[in-house]
Each structure stands twice: as structure tokens, then as C-alpha cells.
Amino acid sequence: MKRKLTLLLLMTVGVLGIQAQPKSWTADNGNGTFTNPLFYDEFSDPDILRVGDDYYLAGTTMHAVPGLVILHSKDLVNWENISYCFDRFDFPDPAFSLSGPQGKNRGEVYGEGIWAPCIRYANGQFYVFSNVNGKGLQCYTAKDIRGPWTHHNMQGRIYDLGVLFDDDGKIYAIHNYGEVKCTELKPDMSGPVEGTERTIIPEGNGVGEGHHMYKIDGMYYLISTDYKPNGRTLCSRSKSIWGPYETRVITADETYGYHAAPITQWRGRIVPDGTKFALGPVDKDATACSNAHQGGIVQATDGSWWALFMQDFHSIGRTVCLMPMTWEDGWPMVGLKGNLGRAPRTWYKPGIVVRGEGQEVRGEPMQAPYDRSDDFNYKSYSRTSKTALKPIWQWNHNPDDKMWSLRGGRLRLQTMPADQLMWARNTLTQRVIGPKSVTTVELYVKGMKDGDVCGLGNINIPCSWVGIVKNGKTLTLRCFEQLTNDTIDIPLTSHLSPLTSHLSPLTSNKIWLRSIGDYDNDQAQYAYSTDGTTFQTIGRMMPLSYQLTTFQGSRHALFAFNVKGRRGGYAEFDNFTVEEPCADRSKNIPYGKTIRIVNKATGRPAIATTHGVLYDTRADDKSQLTQFLVIDRGQGRVALRCADGRYVKVYGDGLPGDVRFTAEASDAEEFLWQDYLDHDFMLLSLRNHRYIGKSPTTGSPYSMDFAGPDPARRNGSVFRWEAVE
């Protein structure tokens, strides 16, 4: 199949005249509100720390380097990558460099490496604790958050831990699944204190892992995640670090309307090409373990409390959501009063005061954490330091620094032996960005030798790629999909055949490769061009998955390897660009437009009945009573006016049938619009913090009594808006 790619990039002036809208996803809406996720790319196992007016977020990086990422923020919404704890793994094991034997002998550390960090500040320095499989507990310390960092190999079987620096100077690590244990750590970070490990929560209390320990007003609070039988987050509290603890669920079922991604199913680990794969079935109605879970909590500078929990976002992987918290009877509950346990997708940034119509909202500049595009023109590049790459880039395992360089504004990768992409050393990666994005790179092939393979791929299991293969003196454009073991080859010659009549010869030794990703829908497709203007798709729109071997979502990969068991030539890459058509959300709320509100559960539009209640009607009903004007009340708030002049108003506190109407504009209900992208939305009451909705099965009229969406968005609380011409 061949077709031209048309991409519409939305570039508009910022709302309220405050700030220009970003070209890369940021949660900040520019009007005092934010919309989850904080990042539309992978950031798993988040732990949050506040020092003064600054917030720091640490996250898992598994087998990729540089490792243990740290972000900085002033408002919990806009973030910047400022540090990694290390440039490469300093263990001698060749598996960390992908240089061990390929196959069953585990010459790799996919899905292992370093994970589930805990970031703390004490004694005038920063600490980041984490685990490396087979190597034990690790700690990195620095006086400056930007480094340099000192590595302490503490060993011991302590993982998925929370760390507390107590008031008496003792340091405790809380760890283990189910049977929760506490172990004292030595102040010099040389290891655990021998003989101090004790069980503080016995098995049988429904407590899981991913621990985060806090001492608040003299009470010990432990935030943990459980996945048996379903994902949920719990808080355990005690007056003593050693217990006894009582436990409460503080959030469950918050998926923001995203069901779990299909899980790759196969036997083994990094399997050879030709292995049979399957994508597991998906129950779109099940929460499973994809809901918001594992993460830390923090008190903001304005006194409010927040949770930063990770959530599975399909093939993107796990990323972070910012969730307001409410203290209830001494428990830090996720959510808002009237709807505890759930949290809005769109809410007000910390410190924001709800104001009247038309008032400006000022705050920190809207900022994405990374600059994803790269022309590789680094003025500060040094062949000795090799540290000039943008922080968005990570190597797949430790690189061989002798086999890559930056030359003339291009990235050069020299080929080394590998059977397939997942074994290719010196593969440079960055996380895909959702919900949709188009990634393009220029590939120069003049330096390729016999057996070399190079191009743009997706490091995942199964993997895929598009690129150039050199066999003898022949160059071939190849698209490979490991899921189906499907290969599409197009010869690149100066004598064009009907198959390649759309191609120009590679007289410049350059080809453009492209990945077109629709990650919310778990699919992507490759494309290519020989002139940089006209692109042709190649291969099918591939299904994407998530899996628990690499514990990562989809990743772009720039790669070069040799399939004939030798060191070959080299490939050069330039002008890597990432375009995000959904990054600018300034037009997502249809302010001033007349719309029809269609319930996602039934496909039927809402109607303002003459009887005085909000109900639904036939799918083809386009009468005046199905038309509503969206009135901008500022800071993401809206009011709805039916075309006959009546305004939507909620009477009572969530009883069925309480969504009725008023003739007075001043009495109209104000909703906080919840943007679910692609015209999907929800309406949140600012009075009781619940959502308007209608059961698809009972026949009851609309009410303001829904806690949130279900994973399939068909419980009656999620809508689609259609503009009325």
C-alpha cells in the first residue's frame, strides 16, 4: 500500500494571551489548569521530593543509559530534565553492555538494570536509592542535584524501597512485597545495618510493593501499591516505624478512561527473528493493573497535597499523573472532597485561585521536559567526554564509545556484529511521545559495507524497523515487523522497475525514514522518501503492545549493525525531528461553539426535554433541543446554554434526575471541562467534584453522580462533542 502522508500541525497563539502554546506535550493548559498525564511519554516508578520551592522527580530507566533520570519543577506541572545519576553502568558484567553471548546465556539486562528509585534530601545532600538486579541496593549521592554523583554499592536484597531519614538520625529502608520489611541503613551508605531487618506488616494485609515512607506530624505513613487481584494504592499508618500498622485503600480504578494495552506473549526473553509472537486479548472494561498506582506524595508550597503516581498509557508505557489529595480522618486520600479515591484528569495547578471571567492567570512558563528533535550540531562535543548528546537520548545498554561519534553535524554509528536489532550495540534511543507523533530522520548510507543494516526502529518486544540493508554492493530498502516476521524489500537501483518507479536513485546516498505513531490506539507505520518531500508508507499499520521483559513501552531507535559477524562500515544520521499534532490543545475546548453532546456509551445525543430534565434521544435527532452553546467562564470552566435559551443547572447533590435548567445565566452550573482529546470530554462539577453522566442501561435521566470514567469510556460519563454548523 502506498499513500502520501499529510500531517496537520496546529500552531496557534496561547489561550488568554498568556503564553504561546507548546510544540511538545506539556500538561499545562496555560489557563491555570493542567491535564494529565504530566508527560505523554514513559516515566515509570516516580518518586517526588520537595526542597524549599523546588520539586525533584526521579524515575526508572532500566537497562538504558544514562541512568536514573531526575526532573526539576517549580510548580509540579512544568518540568525540565536536569540530571542523570550516572552515564553508564560501572559493573564489569558484559551483559550491561549487551556484549555477552547472544541467546539463552543472558548477555543482556533488558527490563532489569536499575529501577524504582527513591529520592531524598538530608545532611546537606541528595540521595537516590535504587536496585540493580543481581547487584543489590545502590545509592547515589550529590551535593548538587545536577551532580556529580557518587555511587555507593550497598548490596543486600532490598528493592522497590522507600527510605526515611528519621528525626533521631537513623535511616530506614522499607521494602518487600506482601510481607513488608524495615531495615536500618548505615549513614555512610556502605550497606544495611546487620541484624536490623524486621517485618513491620505481615502477609495477609493486602499490602503490595513500591513503598514510599513519610513521617508527617509524628505519624508514619507508608504508600504502597498492590496488584492482587487488581491494581490499587494503599496507605498504612502507625505511630512507630516498627508498627503495628492499619491500612486503607487511597485510590483504585482511576484509569482516566484508558484500558490496558495488549501484552506480548511468547516464550523466552530476547528471542531470535522467526519466533512466533502473539498479542494477548484485551478486556476493555477491566481496570487490571493499568490504573494510577505506585508513586510518591508531596506537600506543595501552598500547603496542598499531591500524589504523583504512574499509570499505564497503552504502548507508550508507564507515565506520571498529578493527582490532588485530601486529608480525611487522618488519611491522605487521592481525590477531592465528595469524590475520594478518584482524581480529575484536568484540575487546577498548585497555588492557583479560581477567579472571575476573563482574568489572566500567570505562573511558571509552559515547558516540556525534553527537546526531542536533534540536528546533532553540538558545539560543545568532545571526543574524549562523549557527553554532548541531548538528555532525551539514551543508549540501549552501555555503548562502546569507540564506535560512535559526531562528525560534521551528523551522528555516526559504526556497525558491530548482531543477529537482529535487539542485540545491536550502540543503538541510540528515545521514548516515543503520544498521543500521536511523527518522527523523521535523514540516513546517510555511503559508509555502509557488506552485511550492514541501519535505520530507524522501535525497540520493543516484538521489535520492528525500516532501513537499508547492504548485501555485497546492493542496497535494499527493508521494512521488518517481528510480530509477524514479515519482511518487505524494495531494491534501490538506478534502473527503476515498476515496483520502484516512484523512487529516485540514491545519488546523494541519503534517504529519509519516518515513523507515524498513533500510540493511544496502539499502532504505528513506517514511511520513507528519497527527496525529503514525498513520503510513501511501507508495511502495514502495525499493532503495538506493552510487555514485561523490557518493562518499557515503544522507543525510537537509531541503529547500525552487521549481520555477517564482522565489524563493517558506518551509518550517519541527521535532522531527527519529532512533530506532535496534539501538543497544542488550545482549541480542544469548543468555547463559543454550539455543539451536540453525544454519550460515548450509547452513541445518543443529550436533549433538553420540554419536561425539564436532561435526557437522551435518537442518534439522528438534530433538533434545537440537542444543541448547546459552550460558554467560556475562564480557567477551563464552562457553562452550557440550550439553543432555546435555557441554561444547564444541577439541583441537589447527585440524585438521579437533578440535571435540569434555569432561565438565569447567573444561575448556570459551572463545569470544569475534562479534555480527553479527539473531541472526547467529561464535565466535572466544582460543587461536589463528581461528573455528569447517564447510565446506558437503567433509563434514568442525566445526573451529577458519577465518580469517573470506566476503562472503556462506556459507563455513561464520557461524551463526544460534535460542532453544529
Side-chain angles (χ1 to χ4, degrees):
M1 179 177 61
K2 304 171 184 177
R3 63 175 181 268
K4 293 184 179 180
L5 171 72
T6 302
L7 174 67
L8 177 62
L9 294 178
L10 305 177
M11 301 177 65
T12 62
V13 179
V15 294
L16 295 181
I18 303 170
Q19 304 173 46
Q21 290 295 306
K23 295 181 180 180
S24 186
W25 178 278
T26 172
D28 198 331
N29 294 316
N31 61 1
T33 70
F34 67 91
T35 295
N36 281 311
L38 280 184
F39 325 116
Y40 230 114
D41 62 340
E42 188 170 66
F43 195 105
S44 57
D45 304 322
D47 193 33
I48 181 69
L49 169 70
R50 177 185 146 209
V51 180
D53 295 335
D54 296 285
Y55 303 96
Y56 303 103
L57 191 67
T60 285
T61 49
M62 291 295 179
H63 50 275
V65 292
L68 287 186
V69 61
I70 298 175
L71 306 184
H72 168 257
S73 176
K74 284 286 189 179
D75 63 0
L76 284 176
V77 173
N78 294 283
W79 294 86
E80 176 189 10
N81 173 231
I82 60 169
S83 185
Y84 288 94
C85 288
F86 58 91
D87 291 332
R88 62 189 296 121
F89 293 105
D90 54 7
F91 304 106
D93 188 341
F96 289 95
S97 300
L98 205 61
S99 57
Q102 299 181 19
K104 297 181 180 180
N105 293 326
R106 298 291 305 278
E108 40 78 19
V109 290
Y110 279 112
E112 296 183 354
I114 197 159
W115 47 277
C118 171
I119 184 170
R120 293 292 180 262
Y121 182 79
N123 308 314
Q125 66 179 348
F126 293 92
Y127 298 78
V128 179
F129 300 87
S130 195
N131 172 75
V132 173
N133 287 53
K135 307 298 180 183
L137 178 62
Q138 311 297 312
C139 179
Y140 296 83
T141 58
K143 297 290 185 181
D144 188 327
I145 192 67
R146 290 171 171 79
W149 293 85
T150 300
H151 180 199
H152 311 264
N153 188 345
M154 302 179 69
Q155 303 180 355
R157 185 173 169 77
I158 296 176
Y159 59 93
D160 239 7
L161 76 161
V163 176
L164 177 73
F165 287 78
D166 212 342
D167 302 331
D168 60 2
K170 291 187 176 181
I171 309 168
Y172 299 104
I174 294 81
H175 55 102
N176 211 48
Y177 183 90
E179 182 185 21
V180 181
K181 299 181 179 182
C182 179
T183 302
E184 189 178 343
L185 303 179
K186 295 178 181 178
D188 63 358
M189 299 297 117
S190 60
V193 177
E194 292 80 0
T196 60
E197 181 181 294
R198 288 170 54 183
T199 296
I200 59 174
I201 302 178
E203 176 60 89
N205 286 276
V207 177
E209 61 188 5
H211 306 297
H212 299 256
M213 178 63 86
Y214 306 91
K215 191 174 185 180
I216 304 170
D217 296 333
M219 184 75 75
Y220 295 87
Y221 291 89
L222 178 64
I223 309 297
S224 307
T225 289
D226 189 33
Y227 58 81
K228 294 180 180 180
N230 222 45
R232 60 207 181 110
T233 300
L234 309 100
C235 177
S236 304
R237 70 180 185 183
S238 174
K239 294 181 180 179
S240 168
I241 188 74
W242 305 110
Y245 285 84
E246 54 179 333
T247 300
R248 297 287 185 275
V249 174
I250 62 173
T251 183
D253 292 335
E254 187 55 82
T255 67
Y256 293 115
Y258 287 82
H259 59 78
I263 299 293
T264 306
Q265 297 180 339
W266 79 104
R267 292 185 178 182
R269 285 184 56 81
I270 310 306
V271 295
D273 294 346
T275 298
K276 293 183 179 180
F277 289 90
L279 297 186
V282 173
D283 184 350
K284 293 186 177 182
D285 295 304
T287 303
C289 297
S290 64
N291 58 312
H293 61 292
Q294 188 163 337
I297 67 173
V298 67
Q299 186 177 27
T301 54
D302 67 346
S304 59
W305 282 85
W306 300 82
L308 288 91
F309 290 166
M310 71 177 180
Q311 183 188 329
D312 292 13
F313 269 79
H314 293 265
S315 56
I316 288 171
R318 294 166 168 173
T319 188
V320 183
C321 291
L322 178 64
M323 310 171 79
M325 304 191 80
T326 300
W327 284 86
E328 185 81 4
D329 297 328
W331 294 96
M333 301 294 297
V334 168
L336 303 163
K337 199 167 185 65
N339 195 6
L340 299 179
R342 304 293 296 269
R345 183 170 189 179
T346 298
W347 189 241
Y348 294 100
K349 296 163 59 178
I352 292 295
V353 178
V354 180
R355 305 183 186 279
E357 295 182 45
Q359 295 194 28
E360 284 194 1
V361 179
R362 300 190 181 277
E364 294 298 315
M366 299 171 67
Q367 176 177 308
Y370 304 99
D371 181 7
R372 302 176 188 281
S373 298
D374 200 342
D375 61 9
F376 299 108
N377 291 319
Y378 298 122
K379 294 181 180 179
S380 61
Y381 172 72
S382 167
R383 287 187 55 82
T384 57
S385 68
K386 299 282 189 178
T387 58
L389 291 169
K390 286 185 176 181
I392 184 62
W393 292 112
Q394 290 180 288
W395 296 99
N396 178 22
H397 293 65
N398 286 341
D400 181 343
D401 284 336
K402 297 179 181 178
M403 300 299 288
W404 73 275
S405 60
L406 295 171
R407 296 169 178 262
R410 299 176 190 169
L411 169 71
R412 176 177 290 191
L413 299 180
Q414 295 175 248
T415 63
M416 290 180 280
D419 293 336
Q420 56 140 306
L421 173 58
M422 299 299 289
W423 286 106
R425 298 190 64 191
N426 279 18
T427 296
L428 192 62
T429 74
Q430 65 168 261
R431 299 169 295 280
V432 301
I433 178 72
K436 299 176 182 179
S437 57
V438 177
T439 299
T440 308
V441 68
E442 296 176 14
L443 171 63
Y444 291 81
V445 300
K446 183 178 180 180
M448 293 181 66
K449 293 183 179 180
D450 180 33
D452 286 351
V453 182
C454 57
L456 172 67
N458 176 16
I459 287 281
N460 203 337
I461 298 178
C463 66
S464 65
W465 54 267
V466 62
I468 301 297
V469 176
K470 188 166 188 179
N471 188 13
K473 296 183 179 180
T474 301
L475 293 177
T476 301
L477 174 68
R478 176 171 295 173
C479 180
F480 173 72
E481 183 185 355
Q482 195 180 37
L483 175 63
T484 56
N485 287 294
D486 186 28
T487 299
I488 299 174
D489 282 350
I490 299 178
L492 298 176
T493 68
S494 58
H495 303 288
L496 298 182
S497 67
L499 179 63
T500 59
S501 60
H502 58 280
L503 288 173
S504 300
L506 290 183
T507 54
S508 63
N509 291 295
K510 178 170 67 171
I511 191 168
W512 286 259
L513 305 176
R514 175 170 284 179
S515 175
I516 308 159
D518 180 2
Y519 301 106
D520 263 8
N521 292 306
D522 296 321
Q523 57 186 8
Q525 188 170 31
Y526 291 115
Y528 64 95
S529 173
T530 56
D531 61 11
T533 301
T534 302
F535 281 82
Q536 305 289 334
T537 58
I538 182 171
R540 65 170 181 159
M541 184 66 79
M542 302 171 292
L544 301 176
S545 67
Y546 184 69
Q547 36 69 44
L548 302 181
T549 292
T550 71
F551 274 95
Q552 291 181 332
S554 297
R555 280 187 166 234
H556 297 305
L558 303 181
F559 66 87
F561 60 95
N562 187 283
V563 295
K564 294 189 176 182
R566 62 172 73 109
R567 288 192 176 187
Y570 62 85
E572 292 185 331
F573 300 86
D574 199 2
N575 295 322
F576 182 95
T577 62
V578 181
E579 299 167 300
E580 302 177 44
C582 301
D584 179 0
R585 303 189 302 279
S586 61
K587 302 298 183 183
N588 284 18
I589 305 178
Y591 295 124
K593 291 184 179 181
T594 298
I595 65 172
R596 297 168 78 234
I597 300 173
V598 180
N599 197 301
K600 293 276 287 185
T602 62
R604 300 174 61 154
I607 185 170
T609 67
T610 55
H611 185 59
V613 298
L614 190 67
Y615 201 58
D616 62 7
T617 184
R618 306 181 319 274
D620 61 351
D621 187 346
K622 297 185 178 180
S623 64
Q624 186 184 52
L625 297 184
T626 66
Q627 301 175 15
F628 298 87
L629 176 67
V630 180
I631 302 170
D632 183 5
R633 290 291 178 86
Q635 293 178 276
R637 294 168 295 163
V638 301
L640 299 175
R641 187 182 72 202
C642 182
D644 66 359
R646 293 178 293 165
Y647 295 86
V648 172
K649 179 175 173 61
V650 177
Y651 294 82
D653 193 23
L655 298 176
D658 66 354
V659 183
R660 302 200 292 273
F661 303 93
T662 178
E664 302 298 327
S666 59
D667 290 338
E669 196 77 20
E670 284 189 351
F671 304 99
L672 187 64
W673 187 283
Q674 306 287 298
D675 181 15
Y676 275 66
L677 310 179
D678 293 328
H679 287 211
D680 282 10
F681 71 101
M682 297 180 69
L683 294 171
L684 175 68
S685 166
L686 291 175
R687 290 192 297 111
N688 70 354
H689 301 132
R690 298 180 80 85
Y691 302 89
I692 189 172
K694 182 189 182 305
S695 168
T697 59
T698 65
S700 296
Y702 276 88
S703 66
M704 185 60 70
D705 197 30
F706 283 72
D710 65 330
R713 304 188 186 183
R714 52 192 181 199
N715 69 339
S717 63
V718 184
F719 313 116
R720 184 184 75 253
W721 64 266
E722 299 175 349
V724 175
E725 299 298 333

